[in-house]
Amino acid sequence: MSAGSTRDDVRQGRVLRLGTRRSALATTQSGWVADLLRQGGHTVELVEVVTEGDVNHAPLTQIGGTGVFASALRQALRAGEVDLAVHSLKDLPVLPEPGLLVAAVPTREDPRDVLVARDGLTLADLPAGSRIGTGSPRRAAQLAAHRPDLHVEPIRGNVGSRIRRVTDGDLDAVVLAGAGMRRLGRHAEITDILPTDIMLPAPGQGALAVECRESDPEVVAVLAALEDAATRTAVTAERAMLRALEAGCTAPVGALATIDEDDRLTLSAFAGSDDAAIALRRSATGDASAPEDLGVALAEELLAAGADRIPASLLARTPERTRSPEHSGGHPHSPNDVGAPKEQKP
């Protein structure tokens, strides 16, 4: 059966049940994917799924970090309760899930972090001693390296509750993902877009992953229309670097890959400690046809420069780094990999 005929079969009556977290940002992201599918002639129903990260408000590094937002959606997929699920790619574990397939990585939103500060202040304008909120060790480490005079305070919650900490006067500023602000229509509240030479985003930030069962070829074929090749290549390099560092998604590690008109892929990365004793920045350029190789090579450069001295508890990995054939240059490339075949547990 051809891909075209399977898409026609879905259009003829099957309702695609799209699993989503219930937060405003998650439903907005999932609604965007649903609208793309509806434009293709498909009937889509959103199904809200409650995840551990939604109900447990402890710091992510305590409740599991990697996968706390994805596991319940994946369970719903396996149980046949939904046909596809939309994840924020930065929250997705780097281990390909047996039986499931990241069938599409759509076009990425601007991945940079942003500041929402009192009185319209920028990061440069914040006075010494200002209280800046973030629940991300990656952001905290880069802030400590760039502005050690600021007081970084750990916070959790949705976009609205974090911004209220500023408007209520509890904090002077918060750092958020600009992609989420724009998707929620709150871009006017951004007071500063943080340049990547100060704040590299999380690997995969700004990108979505649309996942389904490998055993459902009809849905796999439908989702192929949502794929953006350039985004897939970029996030593959970023997550391959994360995988090679043996770091989880809550680790103080940032990465951003870009492709130029000559099909050259440039990957920039940060790895650091929360006290700024280690604050490494490196970049490398390679062929866009081999994003995994570039990611692993840059990780090895970071490790040689001292990233292996970052405490294992910060990287959300086991103390002993394990070497595998994948780390030596053999990197399978398939839509299911999304750049990284190894999940790390804190």
Side-chain angles (χ1 to χ4, degrees):
M1 182 181 295
S2 69
S5 62
T6 57
R7 285 193 292 269
D8 289 341
D9 290 342
V10 175
R11 288 193 188 98
Q12 287 171 4
R14 180 175 175 181
V15 176
L16 296 175
R17 297 163 300 164
L18 190 160
T20 178
R21 292 172 53 209
R22 65 182 181 182
S23 73
L25 179 56
T27 54
T28 297
Q29 292 175 163
S30 296
W32 179 75
V33 171
D35 286 343
L36 290 177
L37 292 170
R38 290 172 183 138
Q39 290 169 19
H42 305 291
T43 302
V44 184
E45 169 191 344
L46 263 60
V47 178
E48 292 188 0
V49 177
V50 178
T51 73
E52 174 71 7
D54 294 318
V55 297
N56 190 331
H57 298 293
L60 292 180
T61 51
Q62 293 181 15
I63 64 175
T66 300
V68 298
F69 295 118
S71 59
L73 288 168
R74 286 176 156 177
Q75 289 170 10
L77 273 173
R78 287 195 204 89
E81 297 168 1
V82 298
D83 302 305
L84 63 148
V86 175
H87 308 277
S88 290
L89 186 53
K90 69 181 179 64
D91 297 329
L92 199 64
V94 294
L95 174 67
E97 192 74 5
L100 301 182
L101 177 73
V102 176
V105 178
T107 303
R108 188 182 209 171
E109 176 60 88
D110 185 335
R112 289 175 295 176
D113 282 320
V114 300
L115 193 76
V116 177
R118 63 174 176 84
D119 305 321
L121 295 174
T122 66
L123 181 61
D125 293 334
L126 281 173
S130 293
R131 298 157 300 157
I132 185 165
T134 177
S136 162
R138 169 189 58 82
R139 291 172 179 146
Q142 292 182 88
L143 286 170
H146 180 68
R147 286 289 308 270
D149 58 323
L150 300 177
H151 293 303
V152 178
E153 299 192 14
I155 59 171
R156 281 232 27 225
N158 60 32
V159 170
S161 66
R162 295 185 191 205
I163 292 175
R164 279 195 297 274
R165 297 283 299 273
V166 177
T167 57
D168 291 347
D170 184 39
L171 295 171
D172 295 296
V174 291
V175 181
L176 301 164
M181 293 286 289
R182 295 182 189 92
R183 286 171 176 147
L184 287 171
R186 303 189 67 160
H187 51 279
E189 297 171 78
I190 296 171
T191 62
D192 197 11
I193 298 174
L194 304 183
T196 56
D197 60 350
I198 293 174
M199 182 73 66
L200 276 168
Q205 185 164 304
L208 302 178
V210 189
E211 193 170 44
C212 66
R213 291 181 295 276
E214 284 183 312
S215 59
D216 195 340
E218 293 179 359
V219 175
V220 172
V222 167
L223 297 183
L226 305 182
E227 175 78 358
D228 182 73
T231 300
R232 172 81 71 166
T233 296
V235 300
T236 294
E238 295 164 16
R239 286 167 62 83
M241 187 275 299
L242 188 67
R243 184 257 343 257
L245 286 177
E246 299 193 1
C249 67
T250 60
V253 174
L256 182 63
T258 57
I259 304 173
D260 65 20
E261 62 272 11
D262 297 321
D263 211 29
R264 300 289 290 172
L265 181 66
T266 297
L267 176 61
S268 299
F270 167 87
S273 57
D274 52 357
D275 60 0
I278 302 172
L280 303 171
R281 287 182 177 272
R282 296 290 187 275
S283 63
T285 299
D287 196 306
S289 65
E292 305 96 331
D293 291 337
L294 183 64
V296 172
L298 189 56
E300 296 292 356
E301 185 176 338
L302 286 167
L303 290 166
D308 58 351
R309 293 185 287 110
I310 298 172
S313 59
L314 290 179
L315 287 181
R317 61 167 169 80
T318 55
E320 292 297 324
R321 296 183 65 250
T322 56
R323 310 302 295 164
S324 69
E326 291 86 356
H327 291 167
S328 301
H331 312 294
H333 181 49
S334 75
N336 202 25
D337 291 336
V338 198
K342 184 172 184 180
E343 176 180 2
Q344 297 301 324
K345 305 236 184 244

Short mmCIF file of all heavy atoms in Angstrom, two decimals, residues 15 32 48 124 133 152 154 172 175 202 246-248 262 266 274 281 294 309 313 318:
data_model
loop_
_atom_site.label_atom_id
_atom_site.label_comp_id
_atom_site.label_asym_id
_atom_site.label_seq_id
_atom_site.Cartn_x
_atom_site.Cartn_y
_atom_site.Cartn_z
N VAL A 15 -10.75 9.09 12.97
CA VAL A 15 -10.47 10.26 13.79
C VAL A 15 -9.10 10.07 14.44
O VAL A 15 -8.86 9.06 15.12
CB VAL A 15 -11.55 10.46 14.87
CG1 VAL A 15 -11.18 11.63 15.78
CG2 VAL A 15 -12.91 10.69 14.23
N TRP A 32 -1.70 23.54 17.32
CA TRP A 32 -1.02 23.95 16.08
C TRP A 32 -0.79 22.74 15.18
O TRP A 32 -1.04 22.80 13.97
CB TRP A 32 0.29 24.64 16.44
CG TRP A 32 1.12 25.08 15.27
CD1 TRP A 32 0.88 26.15 14.46
CD2 TRP A 32 2.32 24.46 14.77
NE1 TRP A 32 1.87 26.25 13.50
CE2 TRP A 32 2.76 25.22 13.67
CE3 TRP A 32 3.05 23.35 15.17
CZ2 TRP A 32 3.90 24.89 12.94
CZ3 TRP A 32 4.20 23.02 14.45
CH2 TRP A 32 4.62 23.78 13.35
N GLU A 48 -6.51 15.08 26.37
CA GLU A 48 -5.60 15.56 27.41
C GLU A 48 -5.13 14.40 28.29
O GLU A 48 -5.91 13.57 28.72
CB GLU A 48 -6.28 16.63 28.26
CG GLU A 48 -6.56 17.91 27.50
CD GLU A 48 -7.06 19.03 28.39
OE1 GLU A 48 -7.19 18.81 29.61
OE2 GLU A 48 -7.33 20.12 27.86
N ALA A 124 21.27 43.23 30.62
CA ALA A 124 22.38 44.14 30.89
C ALA A 124 21.99 45.25 31.86
O ALA A 124 22.83 45.76 32.62
CB ALA A 124 22.89 44.75 29.58
N GLY A 133 14.54 34.54 38.28
CA GLY A 133 14.00 33.20 38.49
C GLY A 133 14.15 32.30 37.29
O GLY A 133 13.93 32.71 36.15
N VAL A 152 20.17 34.08 41.45
CA VAL A 152 19.29 33.18 40.70
C VAL A 152 18.47 32.37 41.67
O VAL A 152 19.01 31.72 42.58
CB VAL A 152 20.12 32.26 39.78
CG1 VAL A 152 19.20 31.30 39.04
CG2 VAL A 152 20.93 33.09 38.79
N PRO A 154 15.44 29.38 42.17
CA PRO A 154 14.75 28.28 41.48
C PRO A 154 13.24 28.47 41.52
O PRO A 154 12.67 28.81 42.57
CB PRO A 154 15.18 27.05 42.27
CG PRO A 154 15.51 27.56 43.63
CD PRO A 154 16.07 28.93 43.42
N ASP A 172 12.71 40.09 40.19
CA ASP A 172 12.98 41.19 39.26
C ASP A 172 12.85 40.75 37.81
O ASP A 172 12.59 41.58 36.93
CB ASP A 172 14.40 41.73 39.50
CG ASP A 172 14.54 42.37 40.88
OD1 ASP A 172 13.87 43.38 41.12
OD2 ASP A 172 15.29 41.83 41.71
N VAL A 175 13.62 34.03 33.30
CA VAL A 175 14.09 33.61 31.98
C VAL A 175 13.17 32.50 31.49
O VAL A 175 12.90 31.54 32.22
CB VAL A 175 15.55 33.11 32.03
CG1 VAL A 175 16.01 32.70 30.62
CG2 VAL A 175 16.47 34.19 32.58
N ALA A 202 18.37 24.99 25.37
CA ALA A 202 18.44 23.54 25.58
C ALA A 202 18.47 22.85 24.23
O ALA A 202 17.87 23.32 23.25
CB ALA A 202 17.24 23.07 26.39
N GLU A 246 26.46 12.12 27.99
CA GLU A 246 25.71 11.32 28.95
C GLU A 246 24.99 12.22 29.93
O GLU A 246 25.02 12.04 31.15
CB GLU A 246 26.61 10.31 29.65
CG GLU A 246 27.24 9.33 28.67
CD GLU A 246 27.87 8.12 29.37
OE1 GLU A 246 27.81 8.04 30.60
OE2 GLU A 246 28.41 7.27 28.65
N ALA A 247 24.28 13.19 29.38
CA ALA A 247 23.57 14.17 30.19
C ALA A 247 22.08 14.07 29.93
O ALA A 247 21.63 13.72 28.84
CB ALA A 247 24.07 15.58 29.87
N GLY A 248 21.30 14.41 30.93
CA GLY A 248 19.85 14.43 30.80
C GLY A 248 19.35 15.79 30.36
O GLY A 248 20.10 16.76 30.25
N ASP A 262 25.43 26.65 2.13
CA ASP A 262 26.31 25.65 1.54
C ASP A 262 26.12 24.27 2.17
O ASP A 262 26.94 23.38 1.97
CB ASP A 262 27.78 26.08 1.69
CG ASP A 262 28.08 27.36 0.94
OD1 ASP A 262 27.56 27.51 -0.19
OD2 ASP A 262 28.82 28.20 1.47
N THR A 266 26.71 24.09 11.64
CA THR A 266 27.51 24.61 12.74
C THR A 266 26.79 24.34 14.05
O THR A 266 25.60 24.67 14.19
CB THR A 266 27.76 26.12 12.59
OG1 THR A 266 28.52 26.35 11.39
CG2 THR A 266 28.54 26.67 13.78
N ASP A 274 26.91 24.91 38.26
CA ASP A 274 26.03 25.95 38.76
C ASP A 274 26.78 27.08 39.46
O ASP A 274 26.25 28.18 39.62
CB ASP A 274 24.97 25.37 39.70
CG ASP A 274 25.56 24.50 40.80
OD1 ASP A 274 26.79 24.31 40.82
OD2 ASP A 274 24.78 24.02 41.64
N ARG A 281 32.48 26.80 26.47
CA ARG A 281 31.77 27.08 25.22
C ARG A 281 32.66 26.63 24.07
O ARG A 281 33.83 27.00 24.00
CB ARG A 281 31.43 28.56 25.08
CG ARG A 281 30.32 29.01 25.97
CD ARG A 281 29.98 30.48 25.77
NE ARG A 281 28.85 30.86 26.60
CZ ARG A 281 27.58 30.75 26.22
NH1 ARG A 281 27.28 30.31 25.01
NH2 ARG A 281 26.61 31.10 27.04
N LEU A 294 28.94 15.17 14.12
CA LEU A 294 29.32 16.50 14.59
C LEU A 294 28.99 16.65 16.07
O LEU A 294 29.80 17.19 16.84
CB LEU A 294 28.60 17.57 13.77
CG LEU A 294 28.97 19.02 14.10
CD1 LEU A 294 30.43 19.29 13.79
CD2 LEU A 294 28.07 19.99 13.34
N ARG A 309 34.50 17.03 34.43
CA ARG A 309 34.62 17.40 35.84
C ARG A 309 33.31 17.97 36.40
O ARG A 309 33.21 18.25 37.59
CB ARG A 309 35.74 18.43 36.02
CG ARG A 309 37.12 17.89 35.74
CD ARG A 309 38.21 18.91 36.06
NE ARG A 309 38.26 20.00 35.08
CZ ARG A 309 37.90 21.25 35.32
NH1 ARG A 309 37.44 21.59 36.52
NH2 ARG A 309 38.00 22.17 34.39
N SER A 313 25.74 14.54 39.37
CA SER A 313 24.40 14.91 39.80
C SER A 313 23.83 16.07 38.98
O SER A 313 22.63 16.16 38.78
CB SER A 313 24.41 15.30 41.28
OG SER A 313 25.28 16.40 41.51
N THR A 318 24.88 8.76 35.55
CA THR A 318 25.61 7.97 36.53
C THR A 318 27.03 8.48 36.62
O THR A 318 27.57 9.04 35.67
CB THR A 318 25.63 6.49 36.12
OG1 THR A 318 26.17 6.39 34.80
CG2 THR A 318 24.24 5.90 36.13
#
